């Protein structure tokens, strides 16, 4: 009964679908939260998170049910594609007084949006002087705060070239590297539930939404693809995870241009 309650909470709060086969995994992750919160039982804990006093713990529960696995320049082909197919046109638009917007829709601890920022700056070094921004969002406020700090232990930065480290980062005496300089003005970090209302009014040239829909059931997934497509500019690109696919791209006004890359029809 407690497992079924966790399933209902995850679906209602974040659109996360938990199959019956994941009960052992759920038990191990939620039991840690039960212990740390000092609750006497699963049942008491689940009652608490659904109360007004338990909102902060509800967020921790949702975070425990998802896995924040990421790295710099993960699925590098997306960044190469963006540099070659998006940045030339975006640079021209910015130089002409236009705006450029990219969205990292599930930024986790920030490796994705900072990788996007490095790609943008490597392609167009003056980008920070123009109306260029990267929106970075995640449902987890703790990882958003970590991402916004822009600080990583050196072992986490293997995907970043030596040249980019020297250009965009600064080391401290504790073995950490932090993003410094103009690049810091590009990413804007916000907490956002992808299955709730979105406050953004404008559209994006590029949206990265990778390794997220694996947590959703088919109806939730299809609804999200449609909403993301609506947020893309005409001719804009959507990058998805290596194990993900837009089932009905034409219904969303998208066309598949590579296994994990979709373009909004012009």
């Amino acid at each position: 009964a407690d497992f079924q309650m966790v399933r209902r909470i995850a679906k209602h709060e974040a659109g996360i679908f938990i199959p019956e086969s994941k009960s052992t995994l759920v038990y191990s992750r939620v039991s840690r939260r039960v212990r740390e919160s000092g609750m006497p039982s699963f049942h008491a804990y689940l009652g608490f998170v659904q109360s007004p006093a338990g909102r902060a713990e509800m967020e921790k529960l949702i975070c425990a049910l998802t896995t924040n696995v990421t790295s710099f320049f993960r699925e590098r082909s997306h960044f190469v594609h963006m540099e070659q197919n998006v940045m030339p046109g975006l640079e021209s638009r910015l130089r002409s007084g236009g705006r450029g917007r990219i969205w990292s829709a599930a930024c986790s601890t920030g490796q994705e949006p900072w990788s996007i920022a490095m790609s943008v700056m490597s392609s167009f070094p003056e980008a920070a002087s123009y109306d260029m921004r990267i929106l970075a969002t995640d449902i987890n406020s703790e990882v958003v705060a970590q991402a916004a700090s822009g600080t990583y232990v050196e072992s986490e930065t293997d995907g970043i070239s030596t040249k980019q480290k020297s250009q965009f980062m600064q080391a401290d005496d504790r073995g950490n590297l932090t993003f410094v300089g103009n690049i810091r003005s590009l990413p804007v970090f916000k907490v956002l539930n992808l299955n709730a209302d979105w406050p953004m009014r404008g559209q994006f040239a590029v949206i990265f939404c990778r390794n997220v829909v694996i947590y959703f059931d088919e109806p939730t997934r299809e609804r999200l693809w449609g909403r993301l497509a609506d947020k893309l500019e005409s001719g804009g690109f959507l990058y998805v995870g290596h194990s993900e696919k837009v089932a009905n791209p034409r219904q969303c006004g998208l066309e598949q241009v590579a296994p994990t890359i979709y373009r909004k029809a012009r």
Side-chain angles (χ1 to χ4, degrees):
D2 291 334
F3 174 59
Q4 296 306 326
M5 178 61 73
V6 172
R7 295 182 77 203
R8 287 194 293 273
I9 290 172
K11 185 71 167 66
H12 179 265
E13 291 290 324
I16 297 170
F17 172 71
I18 301 175
E20 293 279 358
S21 60
K22 297 291 186 182
S23 61
T24 303
L25 176 66
V26 167
Y27 178 85
S28 67
R29 291 189 176 186
V30 179
S31 60
R32 285 198 296 270
R33 294 303 326 144
V34 175
R35 286 194 301 273
E36 290 182 20
S37 65
M39 290 290 159
S41 67
F42 269 79
H43 187 73
Y45 174 79
L46 295 175
F48 172 67
V49 298
Q50 294 177 86
S51 71
R55 287 308 302 174
E57 183 58 36
M58 173 68 84
E59 182 178 318
K60 292 180 179 179
L61 170 62
I62 297 301
C63 296
L65 295 172
T66 58
T67 306
N68 290 296
V69 176
T70 186
S71 58
F72 286 100
F73 294 102
R74 187 180 186 187
E75 298 178 54
R76 189 172 288 271
S77 61
H78 290 160
F79 298 95
V80 172
H81 181 275
M82 184 181 73
E83 290 171 22
Q84 294 177 347
N85 296 275
V86 177
M87 285 312 302
L90 209 51
E91 178 179 345
S92 297
R93 185 199 305 180
L94 291 166
R95 288 189 185 279
S96 300
R99 68 201 288 274
R101 295 293 185 269
I102 296 173
W103 182 14
S104 170
C107 70
S108 186
T109 45
Q111 285 88 337
E112 181 175 273
W114 287 114
S115 296
I116 296 169
M118 285 186 281
S119 279
V120 168
M121 293 286 281
S122 296
S123 302
F124 180 29
E126 305 104 271
S129 301
Y130 292 85
D131 190 4
M132 177 74 221
R133 293 294 180 271
I134 299 159
L135 175 63
T137 66
D138 201 277
I139 194 172
N140 183 339
S141 62
E142 291 182 2
V143 300
V144 169
Q146 186 178 342
S149 75
T151 298
Y152 300 88
V153 297
E154 191 163 9
S155 60
E156 295 175 329
T157 65
D158 290 345
I160 307 174
S161 69
T162 302
K163 179 183 177 182
Q164 287 174 321
K165 285 180 184 178
S166 63
Q167 188 176 358
F168 301 120
M169 306 184 86
Q170 189 173 75
D172 64 21
D173 54 8
R174 298 188 302 276
N176 298 323
L177 291 169
T178 300
F179 285 96
V180 294
N182 291 342
I183 194 171
R184 289 198 68 94
S185 69
L186 293 183
V188 177
F189 296 91
K190 302 287 183 182
V191 176
L192 181 73
N193 181 345
L194 288 177
N195 288 301
D197 292 334
W198 300 347
M200 308 88 73
R201 294 182 181 178
Q203 291 183 306
F204 298 87
V206 172
I207 297 175
F208 285 73
C209 188
R210 308 187 302 175
N211 309 301
V212 182
V213 303
I214 51 174
Y215 294 110
F216 303 151
D217 60 17
E218 193 62 32
T220 306
R221 205 174 295 164
E222 290 308 302
R223 189 162 56 250
L224 179 60
W225 292 140
R227 294 180 74 195
L228 290 171
D230 288 342
K231 279 293 174 186
L232 272 179
E233 300 171 354
S234 174
F237 290 95
L238 170 66
Y239 300 114
V240 306
H242 64 89
S243 62
E244 298 170 333
K245 186 176 183 180
V246 180
N248 301 294
R250 288 188 179 181
Q251 289 183 12
C252 305
L254 299 172
E255 57 177 335
Q256 188 170 10
V257 297
T260 55
I261 303 175
Y262 297 84
R263 179 171 53 206
K264 187 168 181 176
R266 293 184 181 277

